[in-house]
Amino acid sequence: MAAPGEVEVIRGRPYRTWLYNGQFPGPEIRVAEGERVRVTVENRLPEGTTVHWHGIPVPNAMDGVPGVTQDPIRPGDNFLYDFVADVPGTYLYHSHAGLQIDRGLVAPFIVEERQPAVDYDREHTVILDDFLPGEPAPLSGGPGGMMRRGGMRGGMMGAQMPPYAGLLINGRLPDDPTVFETKRGERVRLRLLNPSGATTFRFAIAGHRMDVVAADGQSVQPLTVDSLLIGMGERYDAIVAADQPGVWTMMAVAVEANLLPARALLRYADAGAATPPPANAVPEGLERGRALELADLRALDNSAGRAPDRTIDLALSGGMMSSAWTINGQTYPDAEPISIREGERVRIRMINHSMMWHPMHLHGHFFRVADISKDTILVPPHMGRATIDFTADNPGNWLFHCHNIYHMEAGMARVLRYA
Ligand code: C2O
Ligand code: CU
């Protein structure tokens, strides 16, 4: 059920927002690979909503995009989502209406493997988010935008940010951190998710390296890193070897905003009376060591895709003198659909003319980027590029968009249409 409710992100100071089943983040849905999933969404919000199963290849009519795959569920109405969770992995579900993600309508969705590709003793779901108390509103641009940015928390030149009050791990601010338990000798699987509205994070754990074993839910050959960058809509699974008893800081820094980093603790059960690290302790991995590079990841299978039948070039722009964010100069929904044909291998080449990161997310398909499969790709600012290839094997109308919800709302989206 999606309904208004109260949460205490700051203990003792409940505030009213919109929630799934009264929880923030929303309740984790966990199913086994191949299971049929039926979720009835009851809309008790004062406006229309939809639910999108981010990353899960569902039939088009179940994809939850208002105006593309369904009408918004009206206040007081129900909608039944019904699909089979065929591909195991770490996913999200969230509202796809307007800026409702920044109300708190976000949650994890886990499809467990029948045969896990890696061994582990326990797992934790780690949700990185930004905290917007109050009603999300579109960001204003225009020539005066630069001046107004000065008054916005976390603003940087060319990087307009909503007035976030803080950064969260599993719904808690850094002064009241979530504690993740472990024991000496365990292998801990972390499912890292970023369902935030507008924050790209860099994540690291003090005293521990991470073996990245999946990207956007899809298994990769383990790669040991000290930190990783995770954009809106992205997920990584990492195994941490718990071999350093004590209490350690897990930290997620916003790369485009000056906000206190999100923080949690990794606590060994046998840590006894170990004193927690000081609140300002920064994991060394955030500053040095190996940062994850997508190009270094290798897929488990070596199914290199075939050569593309069609190549589409997209220029991503916006953010300077206007409030619009564009793809090839057009702002969605006043934008031409991109036509593809069933069975084609499609290549999309992107170039980012703006000064912000854009996590570009394709609905309904996994794509190949470098050697691996993903559904969301961070395109770096300042003429950064990314190229993705996918097979058009799931007919319908599918959104392709920036997962910064303020960019999406300001036009950075297109529909991919099967001709
Ligand atoms: Cu997670 Cu179209 O979004
Ligand atoms: Cu963007």
Side-chain angles (χ1 to χ4, degrees):
M1 181 170 73
E6 282 191 347
V7 279
E8 283 188 25
V9 167
I10 304 169
R11 273 195 219 275
R13 283 179 53 193
Y15 82 104
R16 221 171 151 69
T17 185
W18 296 354
L19 303 166
Y20 289 134
N21 290 0
Q23 296 176 40
F24 174 68
E28 179 171 297
I29 296 179
R30 189 175 274 267
V31 302
E33 171 183 358
E35 253 187 285
R36 177 160 174 203
V37 180
R38 291 160 60 92
V39 180
T40 301
V41 176
E42 206 183 315
N43 183 10
R44 294 286 171 77
L45 302 171
E47 60 184 53
T49 194
T50 59
V51 177
H52 171 58
W53 314 96
H54 179 112
I56 303 176
V58 298
N60 196 240
M62 295 293 120
D63 197 45
V65 181
V68 178
T69 67
Q70 70 175 104
D71 291 331
I73 311 164
R74 286 173 310 184
D77 278 1
N78 292 345
F79 189 90
L80 173 66
Y81 291 94
D82 185 348
F83 56 89
V84 176
D86 276 325
V87 188
T90 300
Y91 302 99
L92 296 165
Y93 66 98
H94 61 76
S95 163
H96 216 295
L99 301 170
Q100 291 179 2
I101 278 184
D102 260 353
R103 294 276 193 170
L105 295 173
V106 297
F109 193 117
I110 313 292
V111 183
E112 291 183 343
E113 318 82 336
R114 299 209 182 264
Q115 296 288 344
V118 290
D119 292 329
Y120 56 96
D121 303 297
R122 91 165 72 205
E123 64 170 87
H124 291 299
T125 304
V126 181
I127 305 165
L128 312 180
D129 206 350
D130 38 31
F131 171 42
L132 185 75
E135 190 177 339
L139 300 178
S140 53
M146 298 287 240
M147 306 271 284
R148 285 198 293 275
R149 264 170 226 145
M152 283 189 201
R153 246 177 284 198
M156 270 187 209
M157 203 173 80
Q160 265 188 297
M161 292 293 288
Y164 289 127
L167 299 174
L168 309 173
I169 295 182
N170 290 20
R172 306 248 60 98
L173 286 163
D175 58 358
D176 180 19
T178 301
V179 179
F180 296 102
E181 302 284 347
T182 186
K183 279 199 195 90
R184 184 208 291 253
E186 281 183 339
R187 285 164 57 81
V188 185
R189 177 183 190 162
L190 299 181
R191 295 180 186 266
L192 297 161
L193 306 94
N194 179 354
S196 73
T199 304
T200 300
F201 289 97
R202 181 168 293 284
F203 177 83
I205 309 171
H208 298 76
R209 307 190 81 195
M210 297 176 278
D211 291 339
V212 175
V213 296
D216 292 352
Q218 309 311 298
S219 292
V220 296
Q221 293 177 26
L223 179 75
T224 307
V225 300
D226 296 288
S227 75
L228 55 83
L229 200 62
I230 178 166
M232 296 133 259
E234 287 190 299
R235 294 91 61 211
Y236 285 102
D237 289 39
I239 302 282
V240 173
D243 52 10
Q244 300 288 333
V247 186
W248 300 92
T249 302
M250 300 163 72
M251 190 170 271
V253 180
V255 304
E256 290 178 303
N258 298 311
L259 288 164
L260 216 55
R263 180 173 170 265
L265 297 174
L266 179 67
R267 185 181 189 285
Y268 286 64
D270 31 4
T275 36
N280 59 1
V282 174
E284 56 287 357
L286 283 177
E287 284 156 0
R288 60 189 94 84
R290 180 172 189 175
L292 175 66
E293 297 283 348
L294 279 193
D296 295 339
L297 290 175
R298 295 283 166 266
L300 277 193
D301 57 328
N302 256 331
S303 57
R306 58 180 217 263
D309 303 306
R310 180 192 295 272
T311 298
I312 298 159
D313 284 304
L314 300 179
L316 313 176
S317 314
M320 291 305 287
M321 300 308 265
S322 89
S323 55
W325 289 91
T326 64
I327 296 178
N328 286 358
Q330 298 183 3
T331 52
Y332 183 82
D334 303 316
E336 290 155 39
I338 296 170
S339 283
I340 58 176
R341 255 178 232 291
E342 188 169 3
E344 275 183 340
R345 186 80 177 164
V346 180
R347 170 165 293 176
I348 297 180
R349 294 191 297 205
M350 289 165 276
I351 178 159
N352 181 356
H353 293 273
S354 78
M355 297 167 81
M356 290 191 79
W357 291 84
H358 301 295
M360 300 301 295
H361 172 52
L362 175 61
H363 285 218
H365 307 73
F366 293 104
F367 52 72
R368 199 94 180 167
V369 56
D371 188 58
I372 60 166
S373 283
K374 284 186 104 266
D375 53 61
T376 307
I377 178 71
L378 262 176
V379 188
H382 309 292
M383 306 307 277
R385 290 166 191 272
T387 297
I388 63 173
D389 286 359
F390 65 96
T391 300
D393 57 3
N394 194 2
N397 293 321
W398 299 100
L399 207 61
F400 176 65
H401 65 92
C402 178
H403 218 282
N404 178 316
I405 55 171
Y406 298 87
H407 295 178
M408 178 179 74
E409 274 302 283
M412 194 171 262
R414 283 297 175 99
V415 170
L416 256 73
R417 189 169 65 189
Y418 279 65

